Amino acid sequence: MDTPKKVMLSGIQPSGDLHLGNYLGAIKNWVERTEQFDNYYFMADMHTITVRQVPADLRRRTLEQLAQYIACGLDPEKNTLFIQSHVPAHAQLGWVLNCYTMFGELSRMTQFKDKSARNADNINGGLFTYPSLMAADILLYQPDYVPVGEDQKQHVELTRNVAQRFNHVYGDVFKIPEPYIPKAGARIMCLTNPENKMSKSNPDGCVFLMEKPEDIMRKFKRAVTDCDTERCVRYDREAKPGVSNLMQIYSAVTGKSLEEIEREFEGKGYGAFKPAVGEAVVETLRPIREEATRILSDKAYLEQVYRAGAEKASYIAGKTLRKVYKKVGFVAP
Ligand code: TRP
């Protein structure tokens, strides 16, 4: 029977180059869910300016991110791919939701506390109210699920609270979304400091999607393994975080189970294991890099993709925004 598909939405800020953690932890899962859900994925460019950006770099990275989404297998015919700033309803609903988000709630956001500590000379209003804009990003599309990493769960919780508060006053305007943490969630950690999530802020421990094979190999050869005495390839997140992370990566790119990997490297030690992981990653990223480079050189195609995406997104977002404007008492234009 034709029941409508559930709606899924997520975004990544084009504030840095996409890396293996973004791919294995998020984008790869998005690709696998293409048929099952009605999907909206966007470049969250408006969020990036809460910290200072170099304009030309932001523009370039936004387009690169789109090209890389497509190269990773996100089919723009089957997923709505768009640039946040192309859909004015985000800013418009963001303002309204600012008026339904409490100062106290915003003050408790750990990301705000972290980022304001790191950017003490630029603690601007946007950094503080960022979660209201993120709530708008989400609620405009009435999604069922929002796939996010652990670090964004608090923002999705806030979104739910704001939506419930609004609905309580005005009736059922917003669907209450669920955070979606995939079961086999590949949480990819930093190669040099496996206690932390892989992040562009530590480039030595981070493999970028567009990185050259020799650089990728070098990073894997230098990846920290654990200073336990057994020195064997065995999965144990607590006792062997470095090796376990490499196993997780190897498993994600080869499809082999952790047990298969333990068997494959039995008696071989880390010296054989690390380059094997590096090579598997290189081979996984090679076609993505080549395809992204090809797509990026086709400006007309990219433009066509993001325009079509913005048009579809604006249509859906506009419906929600009109409802909200009416509820709060704005005169219809
Ligand atoms: N805040 C997210 C991040 O920093 C990006 C983001 C913005 C987002 N709006 C969103 C993610 C809406 C999911 C849904 O990673």
Side-chain angles (χ1 to χ4, degrees), residues 5-26:
K5 290 183 182 174
K6 301 261 191 199
V7 177
M8 177 119 12
L9 166 136
S10 197
I12 298 181
Q13 294 194 38
S15 52
D17 296 327
L18 290 177
H19 55 73
L20 194 63
N22 298 127
Y23 176 59
L24 297 178

PDB file of all heavy atoms in Angstrom, residues 5-26:
ATOM      1  N   LYS A   5       6.308   7.840   2.908  1.00  0.00           N
ATOM      2  CA  LYS A   5       7.558   7.493   3.591  1.00  0.00           C
ATOM      3  C   LYS A   5       7.778   8.428   4.769  1.00  0.00           C
ATOM      4  O   LYS A   5       7.355   9.575   4.746  1.00  0.00           O
ATOM      5  CB  LYS A   5       8.723   7.649   2.621  1.00  0.00           C
ATOM      6  CG  LYS A   5       8.754   6.609   1.532  1.00  0.00           C
ATOM      7  CD  LYS A   5       9.994   6.825   0.665  1.00  0.00           C
ATOM      8  CE  LYS A   5      10.029   5.827  -0.476  1.00  0.00           C
ATOM      9  NZ  LYS A   5      11.124   6.086  -1.411  1.00  0.00           N
ATOM     10  N   LYS A   6       8.492   7.921   5.769  1.00  0.00           N
ATOM     11  CA  LYS A   6       8.897   8.781   6.883  1.00  0.00           C
ATOM     12  C   LYS A   6       9.918   9.787   6.371  1.00  0.00           C
ATOM     13  O   LYS A   6      10.676   9.505   5.440  1.00  0.00           O
ATOM     14  CB  LYS A   6       9.542   7.944   7.989  1.00  0.00           C
ATOM     15  CG  LYS A   6       8.627   6.876   8.535  1.00  0.00           C
ATOM     16  CD  LYS A   6       7.982   7.327   9.810  1.00  0.00           C
ATOM     17  CE  LYS A   6       7.281   6.153  10.475  1.00  0.00           C
ATOM     18  NZ  LYS A   6       6.286   6.584  11.446  1.00  0.00           N
ATOM     19  N   VAL A   7       9.946  10.936   7.016  1.00  0.00           N
ATOM     20  CA  VAL A   7      10.821  12.013   6.572  1.00  0.00           C
ATOM     21  C   VAL A   7      12.067  12.076   7.454  1.00  0.00           C
ATOM     22  O   VAL A   7      11.990  11.941   8.675  1.00  0.00           O
ATOM     23  CB  VAL A   7      10.075  13.367   6.621  1.00  0.00           C
ATOM     24  CG1 VAL A   7      11.002  14.526   6.238  1.00  0.00           C
ATOM     25  CG2 VAL A   7       8.852  13.334   5.707  1.00  0.00           C
ATOM     26  N   MET A   8      13.201  12.232   6.790  1.00  0.00           N
ATOM     27  CA  MET A   8      14.479  12.289   7.492  1.00  0.00           C
ATOM     28  C   MET A   8      15.197  13.562   7.062  1.00  0.00           C
ATOM     29  O   MET A   8      15.140  13.939   5.901  1.00  0.00           O
ATOM     30  CB  MET A   8      15.279  11.049   7.081  1.00  0.00           C
ATOM     31  CG  MET A   8      16.601  10.960   7.633  1.00  0.00           C
ATOM     32  SD  MET A   8      17.058   9.645   8.649  1.00  0.00           S
ATOM     33  CE  MET A   8      16.326   8.320   8.919  1.00  0.00           C
ATOM     34  N   LEU A   9      15.840  14.237   8.005  1.00  0.00           N
ATOM     35  CA  LEU A   9      16.535  15.475   7.663  1.00  0.00           C
ATOM     36  C   LEU A   9      17.815  15.605   8.474  1.00  0.00           C
ATOM     37  O   LEU A   9      17.842  15.264   9.654  1.00  0.00           O
ATOM     38  CB  LEU A   9      15.620  16.675   7.989  1.00  0.00           C
ATOM     39  CG  LEU A   9      16.308  18.047   8.013  1.00  0.00           C
ATOM     40  CD1 LEU A   9      15.457  19.073   7.299  1.00  0.00           C
ATOM     41  CD2 LEU A   9      16.581  18.496   9.441  1.00  0.00           C
ATOM     42  N   SER A  10      18.874  16.084   7.821  1.00  0.00           N
ATOM     43  CA  SER A  10      20.085  16.403   8.568  1.00  0.00           C
ATOM     44  C   SER A  10      20.931  17.410   7.802  1.00  0.00           C
ATOM     45  O   SER A  10      20.708  17.645   6.615  1.00  0.00           O
ATOM     46  CB  SER A  10      20.900  15.146   8.884  1.00  0.00           C
ATOM     47  OG  SER A  10      21.831  15.430   9.912  1.00  0.00           O
ATOM     48  N   GLY A  11      21.884  17.978   8.493  1.00  0.00           N
ATOM     49  CA  GLY A  11      22.766  18.957   7.849  1.00  0.00           C
ATOM     50  C   GLY A  11      24.159  18.891   8.433  1.00  0.00           C
ATOM     51  O   GLY A  11      24.351  18.418   9.558  1.00  0.00           O
ATOM     52  N   ILE A  12      25.109  19.344   7.659  1.00  0.00           N
ATOM     53  CA  ILE A  12      26.493  19.457   8.132  1.00  0.00           C
ATOM     54  C   ILE A  12      26.972  20.867   7.807  1.00  0.00           C
ATOM     55  O   ILE A  12      26.691  21.387   6.721  1.00  0.00           O
ATOM     56  CB  ILE A  12      27.418  18.410   7.457  1.00  0.00           C
ATOM     57  CG1 ILE A  12      26.965  16.979   7.801  1.00  0.00           C
ATOM     58  CG2 ILE A  12      28.874  18.610   7.899  1.00  0.00           C
ATOM     59  CD1 ILE A  12      27.830  15.877   7.192  1.00  0.00           C
ATOM     60  N   GLN A  13      27.672  21.473   8.729  1.00  0.00           N
ATOM     61  CA  GLN A  13      28.201  22.813   8.483  1.00  0.00           C
ATOM     62  C   GLN A  13      29.403  22.760   7.544  1.00  0.00           C
ATOM     63  O   GLN A  13      30.336  22.002   7.829  1.00  0.00           O
ATOM     64  CB  GLN A  13      28.700  23.430   9.791  1.00  0.00           C
ATOM     65  CG  GLN A  13      27.622  23.697  10.793  1.00  0.00           C
ATOM     66  CD  GLN A  13      28.133  24.603  11.904  1.00  0.00           C
ATOM     67  OE1 GLN A  13      28.908  25.525  11.664  1.00  0.00           O
ATOM     68  NE2 GLN A  13      27.706  24.333  13.112  1.00  0.00           N
ATOM     69  N   PRO A  14      29.404  23.584   6.502  1.00  0.00           N
ATOM     70  CA  PRO A  14      30.591  23.615   5.628  1.00  0.00           C
ATOM     71  C   PRO A  14      31.695  24.489   6.220  1.00  0.00           C
ATOM     72  O   PRO A  14      32.255  25.339   5.545  1.00  0.00           O
ATOM     73  CB  PRO A  14      30.041  24.182   4.312  1.00  0.00           C
ATOM     74  CG  PRO A  14      28.855  24.986   4.706  1.00  0.00           C
ATOM     75  CD  PRO A  14      28.312  24.418   5.996  1.00  0.00           C
ATOM     76  N   SER A  15      32.010  24.246   7.480  1.00  0.00           N
ATOM     77  CA  SER A  15      33.035  25.057   8.145  1.00  0.00           C
ATOM     78  C   SER A  15      34.404  24.389   8.043  1.00  0.00           C
ATOM     79  O   SER A  15      35.402  24.957   8.451  1.00  0.00           O
ATOM     80  CB  SER A  15      32.664  25.284   9.608  1.00  0.00           C
ATOM     81  OG  SER A  15      32.388  24.046  10.221  1.00  0.00           O
ATOM     82  N   GLY A  16      34.433  23.175   7.509  1.00  0.00           N
ATOM     83  CA  GLY A  16      35.715  22.504   7.305  1.00  0.00           C
ATOM     84  C   GLY A  16      35.511  21.457   6.230  1.00  0.00           C
ATOM     85  O   GLY A  16      34.389  21.235   5.785  1.00  0.00           O
ATOM     86  N   ASP A  17      36.596  20.809   5.816  1.00  0.00           N
ATOM     87  CA  ASP A  17      36.456  19.792   4.778  1.00  0.00           C
ATOM     88  C   ASP A  17      35.850  18.524   5.376  1.00  0.00           C
ATOM     89  O   ASP A  17      36.125  18.174   6.520  1.00  0.00           O
ATOM     90  CB  ASP A  17      37.833  19.497   4.171  1.00  0.00           C
ATOM     91  CG  ASP A  17      38.391  20.730   3.461  1.00  0.00           C
ATOM     92  OD1 ASP A  17      37.586  21.507   2.896  1.00  0.00           O
ATOM     93  OD2 ASP A  17      39.624  20.923   3.480  1.00  0.00           O
ATOM     94  N   LEU A  18      35.046  17.832   4.594  1.00  0.00           N
ATOM     95  CA  LEU A  18      34.430  16.591   5.079  1.00  0.00           C
ATOM     96  C   LEU A  18      35.522  15.546   5.302  1.00  0.00           C
ATOM     97  O   LEU A  18      36.501  15.473   4.567  1.00  0.00           O
ATOM     98  CB  LEU A  18      33.420  16.064   4.066  1.00  0.00           C
ATOM     99  CG  LEU A  18      32.122  16.867   3.905  1.00  0.00           C
ATOM    100  CD1 LEU A  18      31.257  16.252   2.810  1.00  0.00           C
ATOM    101  CD2 LEU A  18      31.338  16.939   5.213  1.00  0.00           C
ATOM    102  N   HIS A  19      35.338  14.730   6.327  1.00  0.00           N
ATOM    103  CA  HIS A  19      36.339  13.723   6.652  1.00  0.00           C
ATOM    104  C   HIS A  19      35.706  12.343   6.812  1.00  0.00           C
ATOM    105  O   HIS A  19      34.485  12.196   6.698  1.00  0.00           O
ATOM    106  CB  HIS A  19      37.145  14.149   7.889  1.00  0.00           C
ATOM    107  CG  HIS A  19      36.292  14.451   9.091  1.00  0.00           C
ATOM    108  ND1 HIS A  19      35.661  13.480   9.819  1.00  0.00           N
ATOM    109  CD2 HIS A  19      35.964  15.632   9.673  1.00  0.00           C
ATOM    110  CE1 HIS A  19      34.999  14.032  10.820  1.00  0.00           C
ATOM    111  NE2 HIS A  19      35.147  15.352  10.746  1.00  0.00           N
ATOM    112  N   LEU A  20      36.585  11.379   7.080  1.00  0.00           N
ATOM    113  CA  LEU A  20      36.143   9.990   7.176  1.00  0.00           C
ATOM    114  C   LEU A  20      35.053   9.796   8.241  1.00  0.00           C
ATOM    115  O   LEU A  20      34.153   8.978   8.068  1.00  0.00           O
ATOM    116  CB  LEU A  20      37.364   9.118   7.496  1.00  0.00           C
ATOM    117  CG  LEU A  20      37.212   7.617   7.323  1.00  0.00           C
ATOM    118  CD1 LEU A  20      36.944   7.259   5.865  1.00  0.00           C
ATOM    119  CD2 LEU A  20      38.483   6.897   7.822  1.00  0.00           C
ATOM    120  N   GLY A  21      35.128  10.557   9.314  1.00  0.00           N
ATOM    121  CA  GLY A  21      34.111  10.473  10.367  1.00  0.00           C
ATOM    122  C   GLY A  21      32.746  10.916   9.845  1.00  0.00           C
ATOM    123  O   GLY A  21      31.726  10.291  10.136  1.00  0.00           O
ATOM    124  N   ASN A  22      32.723  11.996   9.059  1.00  0.00           N
ATOM    125  CA  ASN A  22      31.462  12.438   8.444  1.00  0.00           C
ATOM    126  C   ASN A  22      30.921  11.368   7.503  1.00  0.00           C
ATOM    127  O   ASN A  22      29.726  11.107   7.455  1.00  0.00           O
ATOM    128  CB  ASN A  22      31.640  13.720   7.604  1.00  0.00           C
ATOM    129  CG  ASN A  22      32.103  14.923   8.394  1.00  0.00           C
ATOM    130  OD1 ASN A  22      33.088  15.560   8.032  1.00  0.00           O
ATOM    131  ND2 ASN A  22      31.425  15.237   9.483  1.00  0.00           N
ATOM    132  N   TYR A  23      31.852  10.770   6.732  1.00  0.00           N
ATOM    133  CA  TYR A  23      31.413   9.786   5.741  1.00  0.00           C
ATOM    134  C   TYR A  23      30.890   8.513   6.400  1.00  0.00           C
ATOM    135  O   TYR A  23      29.751   8.105   6.180  1.00  0.00           O
ATOM    136  CB  TYR A  23      32.552   9.466   4.757  1.00  0.00           C
ATOM    137  CG  TYR A  23      32.165   8.391   3.779  1.00  0.00           C
ATOM    138  CD1 TYR A  23      31.078   8.558   2.930  1.00  0.00           C
ATOM    139  CD2 TYR A  23      32.866   7.180   3.719  1.00  0.00           C
ATOM    140  CE1 TYR A  23      30.681   7.559   2.048  1.00  0.00           C
ATOM    141  CE2 TYR A  23      32.485   6.180   2.842  1.00  0.00           C
ATOM    142  CZ  TYR A  23      31.394   6.374   2.008  1.00  0.00           C
ATOM    143  OH  TYR A  23      31.001   5.373   1.151  1.00  0.00           O
ATOM    144  N   LEU A  24      31.727   7.894   7.253  1.00  0.00           N
ATOM    145  CA  LEU A  24      31.320   6.603   7.835  1.00  0.00           C
ATOM    146  C   LEU A  24      30.256   6.771   8.910  1.00  0.00           C
ATOM    147  O   LEU A  24      29.408   5.899   9.094  1.00  0.00           O
ATOM    148  CB  LEU A  24      32.544   5.882   8.416  1.00  0.00           C
ATOM    149  CG  LEU A  24      33.620   5.501   7.408  1.00  0.00           C
ATOM    150  CD1 LEU A  24      34.792   4.833   8.118  1.00  0.00           C
ATOM    151  CD2 LEU A  24      33.067   4.587   6.314  1.00  0.00           C
ATOM    152  N   GLY A  25      30.286   7.909   9.615  1.00  0.00           N
ATOM    153  CA  GLY A  25      29.335   8.109  10.703  1.00  0.00           C
ATOM    154  C   GLY A  25      27.995   8.669  10.240  1.00  0.00           C
ATOM    155  O   GLY A  25      26.990   8.498  10.916  1.00  0.00           O
ATOM    156  N   ALA A  26      27.982   9.354   9.101  1.00  0.00           N
ATOM    157  CA  ALA A  26      26.737  10.003   8.684  1.00  0.00           C
ATOM    158  C   ALA A  26      26.390   9.709   7.224  1.00  0.00           C
ATOM    159  O   ALA A  26      25.441   8.980   6.935  1.00  0.00           O
ATOM    160  CB  ALA A  26      26.828  11.518   8.912  1.00  0.00           C
TER     161      ALA A  26
END
